[in-house]
């Protein structure tokens, strides 16, 4: 079970550092296997200012950039369509291991030296935008590690759950345990339900043919849903525990499953045969 401490703090006040919290959880019966800083890889990605942009002599779609990191100037080859002089952008220095598994090295690209890589938000796992460079606020100081500059400080703990603790297979479940061992109040998420417009049985139904295996199945119909990318906060929650964002509908069902431990599935009502769900054995 992977737990983001930043996410956990939404449900229980935390004053302990990750290692002390891990000790408390382990002694209570939830063995912590590992602790790692989520944005450790961003310590070698720094804020840089683009001082000059010139055409690449051997490639039409590439440019050569002079980027300033405070006390050093780097030559970097870039192919992003939005690159411009004066921008502050992330520079991954040689030796950086990106979330994709790519390790940045000194290299020559079409004969031109490139000492690092200018990055998009997606390449840094900081958003969904891969259309161009991640342009940073102009108030940041060149040379500052990106995790410090953007205030990104999250720690992941991984817990080895035993089969007798299904109550801890969710973030709220872990928060309940943390609240108990630290004597802090639990703050479960506030849940509100919009008023239903009409009776659902006129539009859809659920039939349970295997009540021994599934005694209860709840469903709700949502109308006029637009499929699209999830907001950044939702994408970040899923990425923090190793899930890949898909779209807003799939992501929110995964979010609720991780938050509350309740598996969900979304069906396209227009594609649902006879507008009903039949629960049976295979």
């Amino acid at each position: 079970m992977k737990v983001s401490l930043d996410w956990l703090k939404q449900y229980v006040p935390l004053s302990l550092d990750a290692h002390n919290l891990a000790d408390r959880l382990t002694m209570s019966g939830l063995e912590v296997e590992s602790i790692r800083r989520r944005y450790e890889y961003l310590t070698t990605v720094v804020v840089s200012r683009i001082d000059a942009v010139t055409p690449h002599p051997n490639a039409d779609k590439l440019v050569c950039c002079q980027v300033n990191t405070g006390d050093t100037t780097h030559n970097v080859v870039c192919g992003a369509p939005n690159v411009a002089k004066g921008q502050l952008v992330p520079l991954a220095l040689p030796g950086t291991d990106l979330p994709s598994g790519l390790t940045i090295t000194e290299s020559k690209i079409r004969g031109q030296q490139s000492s690092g890589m200018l990055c998009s938000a997606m390449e840094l796992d900081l958003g969904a935008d891969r259309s161009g460079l991640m342009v940073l606020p102009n108030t940041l100081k060149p040379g500052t590690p990106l995790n410090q500059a953007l205030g990104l400080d999250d720690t992941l703990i991984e817990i080895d759950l035993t089969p007798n603790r299904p109550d801890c297979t969710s973030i709220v479940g872990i928060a309940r345990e943390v609240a108990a061992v630290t004597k802090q109040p639990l703050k479960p998420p506030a849940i509100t339900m919009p008023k239903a417009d009409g009776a659902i049985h006129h539009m859809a139904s659920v039939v349970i043919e295997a009540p021994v295996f599934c005694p209860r199945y709840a469903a709700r119909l949502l109308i006029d849903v637009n499929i699209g990318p999830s907001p950044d906060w939702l994408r970040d929650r899923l990425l923090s525990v190793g899930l890949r964002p898909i779209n807003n509908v799939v992501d929110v069902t995964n979010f609720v499953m991780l938050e509350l431990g309740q598996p969900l599935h979304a069906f396209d009502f227009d594609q649902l045969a006879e507008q009903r769900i039949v629960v049976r054995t295979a």
Side-chain angles (χ1 to χ4, degrees), residues 4 10-12 36-37 51 59 61 65-66 69 71 74 95 151 163 165 168 202 214 242 245 248 255 269 271 278:
S4 156
Q10 282 201 330
Y11 313 120
V12 60
R36 69 178 178 88
R37 291 179 61 197
D51 287 341
K61 295 185 178 180
C65 302
Q66 281 193 340
T69 56
D71 55 0
H74 304 261
R165 296 306 305 268
C168 290
H202 293 310
C214 178
N248 52 355
F255 174 83
F269 184 69
Q271 301 298 320
V278 179

Side-chain angles (χ1 to χ4, degrees), residues 40-42 44-45 92-104 123:
E40 186 74 32
Y41 65 97
L42 291 179
T44 52
V45 180
L93 297 170
T96 300
D97 293 317
L98 293 178
S100 63
L102 175 67
T103 299
I104 305 302
E123 288 165 331

Side-chain angles (χ1 to χ4, degrees), residues 42-50 67-74 87-91 93 136 139-149:
L42 291 179
T43 57
T44 52
V45 180
V46 299
V47 178
S48 68
R49 185 182 65 245
I50 300 176
V67 296
N68 187 302
T69 56
D71 55 0
T72 309
T73 299
H74 304 261
Q87 288 175 330
L88 292 184
V89 295
L91 170 65
L93 297 170
L136 302 170
T139 54
L140 301 182
K141 181 181 178 182
T144 308
L146 197 61
N147 52 356
Q148 293 180 23

Side-chain angles (χ1 to χ4, degrees), residues 221-222 225 227 249 265-277:
L221 178 62
L222 303 178
V225 174
I227 307 295
V249 172
H265 184 75
F267 297 91
D268 185 339
F269 184 69
D270 292 333
Q271 301 298 320
L272 193 63
E274 301 179 5
Q275 280 69 58
R276 67 185 185 133
I277 294 171

Side-chain angles (χ1 to χ4, degrees), residues 100-235:
S100 63
L102 175 67
T103 299
I104 305 302
T105 59
E106 293 262 3
S107 61
K108 281 193 173 183
I109 300 176
R110 297 288 186 93
Q112 297 296 306
Q113 188 70 25
S114 187
S115 301
M117 174 179 166
L118 302 180
C119 301
S120 69
M122 176 168 277
E123 288 165 331
L124 298 176
D125 257 1
L126 297 179
D129 190 359
R130 59 181 177 184
S131 62
L133 298 180
M134 181 181 184
V135 179
L136 302 170
N138 57 15
T139 54
L140 301 182
K141 181 181 178 182
T144 308
L146 197 61
N147 52 356
Q148 293 180 23
L150 298 182
L152 299 173
D153 184 20
D154 191 13
T155 301
L156 292 180
I157 62 175
E158 188 160 0
I159 300 171
D160 184 16
L161 292 179
T162 48
N164 65 318
R165 296 306 305 268
D167 58 303
C168 290
T169 54
S170 67
I171 301 296
V172 168
I174 297 294
R176 185 184 298 110
E177 192 74 9
V178 170
V181 300
T182 61
K183 295 181 172 58
Q184 295 293 327
L186 178 68
K187 300 184 297 182
I191 299 172
T192 58
M193 291 289 286
K195 185 178 179 180
D197 185 14
I200 191 172
H201 65 264
H202 293 310
M203 305 179 71
S205 64
V206 174
V207 178
I208 299 177
E209 295 182 356
V212 173
F213 299 102
C214 178
R216 181 174 185 269
Y217 190 109
R220 189 174 180 91
L221 178 62
L222 303 178
I223 299 173
D224 295 332
V225 174
N226 294 316
I227 307 295
S230 294
D232 286 343
W233 71 265
L234 178 53
R235 292 175 53 84

Side-chain angles (χ1 to χ4, degrees), residues 17-85:
D17 63 36
H19 290 277
N20 283 327
L21 177 61
D23 289 342
R24 295 276 192 98
L25 289 174
T26 298
M27 295 307 294
S28 75
L30 300 182
E31 182 182 357
V32 174
E33 283 192 331
S34 65
I35 303 171
R36 69 178 178 88
R37 291 179 61 197
R38 183 180 168 201
Y39 298 106
E40 186 74 32
Y41 65 97
L42 291 179
T43 57
T44 52
V45 180
V46 299
V47 178
S48 68
R49 185 182 65 245
I50 300 176
D51 287 341
V53 179
T54 57
H56 193 294
N58 304 313
D60 293 338
K61 295 185 178 180
L62 299 176
V63 294
C64 298
C65 302
Q66 281 193 340
V67 296
N68 187 302
T69 56
D71 55 0
T72 309
T73 299
H74 304 261
N75 295 315
V76 181
V77 176
C78 179
N82 65 331
V83 61
K85 180 181 177 181

